[in-house]
Structure formats: C-alpha cells, structure tokens
C-alpha cells in the first residue's frame, strides 16, 4: 500500500511528496474572481462575465494539471475539476 501512495503523490520532478502547490496564474485569476464575486455579488452582465472568467480560468488550470501535473494525484485533481466544470456548464 505504501508503494501505491508513494507512486500517487511523489513529485516526478523533485522526488518530494506533492499534494498542493503554489497556484499558477490561471488559478490565481479563478481565486481572485471568486473572491470578488463573494464580496461584491455583481448582478446582470457583470456577474455573468465574472462567472465566465472564473469558470474559464478553472478550465485552463484543470487542463494544465491534466497535461503537466507533477504526479497522478495532481492529474486526477485536474481531471475532476475539468469534469465538474463541463458538467455544470449548462
């Protein structure tokens, strides 16, 4: 079991266990947009544009993790967020 956990969480670049990382620009945009939406509660077209910005940046982040994730955990995380964003698109 420990070999499976090691394989799943081991960073392929540094050899360290990696569960979370410093956010990349796409995730920073999603976090900032979410914070603005939470504090400001914009309505109408402004709120719609902010929601689109947050969703689009999460999709970009998810695809980046899916393609360039440093371990299987990060790739699975990217896949889960991408599936969720696609499922809630409508």
């Amino acid at each position: 079991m420990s070999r499976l956990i090691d394989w799943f969480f081991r960073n392929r670049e540094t050899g360290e266990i990696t569960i979370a990382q410093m956010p990349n620009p796409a995730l920073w945009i999603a976090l900032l947009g979410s914070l603005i939406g939470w504090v400001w509660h914009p309505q109408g077209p402004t709120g719609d544009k902010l929601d689109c910005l947050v969703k689009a940046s999460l999709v970009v982040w998810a695809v980046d993790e899916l393609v360039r994730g440093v371990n299987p955990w990060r790739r699975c995380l990217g896949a889960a967020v991408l599936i969720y964003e696609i499922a809630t698109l409508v």
Side-chain angles (χ1 to χ4, degrees), residues 11-90:
N11 185 320
R12 302 306 189 260
E13 296 171 2
T14 66
E16 297 176 349
I17 298 294
T18 302
I19 295 173
Q21 294 174 293
M22 188 68 154
N24 62 15
L27 192 54
W28 276 119
I29 292 169
L31 292 170
L32 183 61
S34 296
L35 179 65
I36 290 169
W38 181 68
V39 171
W40 184 27
H41 304 295
Q43 301 296 316
T46 304
D48 294 341
K49 289 175 185 173
L50 186 60
D51 287 343
C52 284
L53 176 69
V54 169
K55 284 190 171 288
S57 57
L58 280 174
V59 166
V60 168
W61 173 84
V63 169
D64 185 44
E65 283 296 331
L66 191 58
V67 172
R68 296 184 321 128
V70 296
N71 58 28
W73 160 248
R74 301 293 298 175
R75 290 188 178 118
C76 288
L77 190 59
V81 170
L82 185 59
I83 289 168
Y84 174 79
E85 289 301 328
I86 290 170
T88 60
L89 195 61
V90 178

